[in-house]
């Protein structure tokens, strides 16, 4: 990528934010000091200053934060939302579709599913102080792009955001970006957790984020991830060897020096970015945030895709223990349109971190 930065292009750069809601050329910073959300702060400076830098989204409101027509490609999304991240639902629609290709709580989309800040330094997602969410997934569109954010909370919340995109031709071989959230709490006994199912079309799988809450003591990551490709039946084409192995770790993510704790890490392609440990009062459970980006090793499919992961620990007699954990996930993939409608997201209570 760096070697391509010297290449001249006929692209045009545009950016959508509260100071330029259409992204049009020469239309940034035009909100008058009288009408902007920061009117009080800018009252001594007048027009052209920092007059409208954020959105205040009311409780129960769905706000359209981007709607552009024509061909282009999103290159960077930056957001810093206040309030409960599970209560803010990000949706992205491509080419006039009424079905979202991205539907996900904002924290989980940016690999922070537990509602608490965790720094992430990866190629696809960066989470920086103090709650700065950054996404670098390439997102092409041919007829247009619409982005909304739903506030499911009762209280208003403030959103600072910027979505930078290119006005440019999109090659025929470019597929569309998708991201789907799922959550089960608790996972029924002996049931396999489904990360993704019902995908129809041609594409490639590029990433997984999981917010894994453990409801038993002991190790929780013996389960295998499985990718069922292009008509696979009872058995998958790709089968992993364990949860920590899939996320590019080993041996329980155990600190190899102290042997008494998990060792968090973030890398360009994978990470155990977050470990929330119990306290002596109300925070009783271990909770983990993990990501795995298939940037150099995408998983290609031609007609259909299903992805599952087992939840396994250990019990007496050296036997596997099927776990009944609190598991949430985001699957990231590219595919041709149209995409199949996603499963119902679930109510606010069903998604709540409890």
């Amino acid at each position: 990528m760096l070697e391509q930065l010297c290449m001249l292009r006929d692209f045009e750069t545009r950016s959508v934010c509260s100071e330029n809601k259409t992204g049009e050329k020469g239309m940034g910073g035009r909100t008058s000091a009288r009408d902007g959300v920061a009117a009080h702060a800018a009252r001594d400076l007048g027009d052209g200053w920092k007059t409208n830098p954020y959105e205040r989204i009311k409780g129960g409101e769905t706000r359209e934060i981007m709607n552009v027509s024509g061909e282009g490609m999103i290159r960077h999304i930056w957001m810093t939302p206040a309030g409960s991240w599970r209560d803010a639902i990000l949706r992205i629609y491509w080419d006039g579709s009424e079905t979202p290709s991205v539907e996900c709580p904002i924290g989980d989309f940016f690999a922070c599913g537990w509602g608490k800040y965790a720094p992430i330094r990866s190629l696809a997602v960066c989470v920086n102080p103090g709650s700065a969410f950054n996404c670098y997934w390439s997102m092409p569109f041919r007829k247009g792009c619409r982005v909304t954010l739903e506030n499911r909370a009762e209280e208003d919340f403030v959103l600072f955001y910027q979505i930078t995109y290119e006005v440019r031709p999109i090659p025929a071989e470019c597929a569309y970006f998708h991201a789907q959230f799922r959550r089960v709490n608790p996972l029924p006994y002996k049931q396999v957790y489904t990360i993704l199912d019902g995908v129809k079309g041609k594409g490639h799988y590029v990433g997984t984020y999981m917010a894994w809450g453990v409801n038993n003591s002991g190790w929780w990551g013996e389960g295998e991830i499985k990718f069922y490709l292009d008509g696979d039946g009872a058995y998958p084409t790709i089968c992993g060897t364990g949860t920590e192995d899939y996320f590019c770790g080993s041996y329980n993510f155990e600190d190899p020096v102290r042997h008494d704790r998990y060792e968090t890490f973030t890398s360009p392609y994978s990470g155990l970015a977050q470990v929330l440990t119990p306290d002596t009062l109300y925070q009783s459970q271990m909770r983990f945030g993990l990501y795995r980006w298939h940037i150099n090793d995408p998983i290609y499919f031609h007609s259909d895709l299903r992805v599952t992961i087992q939840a396994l620990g250990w019990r007496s007699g050296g036997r596997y223990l099927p776990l009944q954990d609190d598991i949430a996930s985001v699957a990231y993939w590219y595919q041709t349109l149209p995409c199949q409608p996603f499963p119902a997201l679930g109510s606010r209570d069903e998604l709540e971190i409890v």
Side-chain angles (χ1 to χ4, degrees):
M1 188 65 182
L2 288 177
E3 68 184 21
Q4 298 177 17
L5 286 177
C6 63
M7 302 296 292
L8 294 175
R9 310 283 190 186
D10 290 328
F11 304 165
E12 298 177 14
T13 300
R14 298 288 185 265
S15 190
V16 172
C17 67
S18 296
E19 295 280 18
N20 186 355
K21 295 185 179 181
T22 65
E24 295 177 74
K25 185 178 184 300
M27 294 301 294
R30 285 177 173 255
T31 304
S32 71
R34 181 185 65 255
D35 298 329
V37 294
H40 183 75
R43 66 189 184 279
D44 296 334
L45 301 176
D47 295 351
W49 290 85
K50 190 175 180 177
T51 62
N52 202 58
Y54 61 86
E55 302 283 320
R56 185 177 296 278
I57 303 177
K58 295 180 180 180
E61 178 188 358
T62 297
R63 178 76 58 87
E64 185 177 85
I65 61 173
M66 179 176 179
N67 192 341
V68 299
S69 299
E71 278 187 298
M73 183 178 295
I74 293 175
R75 285 300 194 180
H76 176 229
I77 300 175
W78 167 84
M79 293 182 173
T80 179
S84 168
W85 299 340
R86 271 284 169 91
D87 285 336
I89 309 302
L90 177 69
R91 295 183 178 92
I92 304 178
Y93 304 79
W94 305 124
D95 293 0
S97 174
E98 296 183 0
T99 299
S101 291
V102 172
E103 185 177 52
C104 190
I106 194 169
D108 296 82
F109 181 80
F110 290 96
C112 275
W114 290 113
K116 296 182 179 180
Y117 167 75
I120 295 176
R121 302 173 184 89
S122 79
L123 289 177
V125 173
C126 293
V127 179
N128 303 325
S131 59
F133 294 156
N134 295 270
C135 160
Y136 296 94
W137 296 111
S138 296
M139 303 183 190
F141 51 93
R142 293 180 171 87
K143 297 179 181 178
C145 166
R146 188 166 74 94
V147 182
T148 68
L149 197 66
E150 177 189 0
N151 178 12
R152 288 181 156 191
E154 297 177 358
E155 307 80 13
D156 298 355
F157 78 80
V158 168
L159 172 73
F160 291 82
Y161 77 100
Q162 193 139 19
I163 303 174
T164 301
Y165 67 100
E166 298 166 349
V167 178
R168 52 166 290 183
I170 299 300
E173 63 269 23
C174 281
Y176 292 85
F177 179 80
H178 291 69
Q180 183 185 117
F181 173 85
R182 294 187 181 219
R183 196 270 185 100
V184 176
N185 182 28
L187 183 69
Y189 185 62
K190 289 189 177 181
Q191 187 173 111
V192 172
Y193 179 80
T194 297
I195 296 173
L196 185 63
D197 196 6
V199 173
K200 304 294 183 184
K202 182 178 182 179
H204 43 283
Y205 188 88
V206 294
T208 308
Y209 169 73
M210 300 199 76
W212 196 303
V214 177
N215 290 329
N216 288 71
S217 61
W219 172 235
W220 48 275
E222 285 300 322
E224 296 175 340
I225 193 167
K226 298 181 179 182
F227 293 85
Y228 297 81
L229 310 174
D230 301 331
D232 284 344
Y235 297 97
T237 295
I238 298 174
C239 184
T241 60
T243 303
E244 81 273 46
D245 307 336
Y246 170 68
F247 289 99
C248 301
S250 69
Y251 292 106
N252 312 347
F253 300 117
E254 183 178 304
D255 184 321
V257 177
R258 291 182 48 171
H259 302 290
D260 64 350
R261 64 181 182 183
Y262 294 92
E263 184 171 356
T264 59
F265 70 98
T266 68
S267 75
Y269 305 110
S270 65
L272 173 66
Q274 192 168 39
V275 176
L276 300 177
T277 57
D279 60 21
T280 57
L281 193 57
Y282 296 122
Q283 186 167 303
S284 61
Q285 307 303 115
M286 293 289 296
R287 289 171 166 175
F288 304 88
L290 313 100
Y291 67 89
R292 169 74 155 89
W293 310 141
H294 294 269
I295 293 174
N296 283 334
D297 58 341
I299 297 173
Y300 295 98
F301 58 93
H302 296 273
S303 62
D304 56 87
L305 172 68
R306 177 164 62 100
V307 186
T308 67
I309 193 167
Q310 301 161 341
L312 289 177
W314 290 102
R315 70 192 319 162
S316 61
R319 296 174 293 157
Y320 291 135
L321 172 66
L323 299 175
Q324 297 172 273
D325 286 343
D326 175 2
I327 305 176
S329 63
V330 182
Y332 308 78
W333 76 100
Y334 289 90
Q335 70 158 88
T336 53
L337 290 182
C339 70
Q340 299 297 308
F342 291 180
L345 187 64
S347 68
R348 183 186 180 199
D349 286 348
E350 288 171 321
L351 268 61
E352 183 181 6
I353 299 169
V354 292

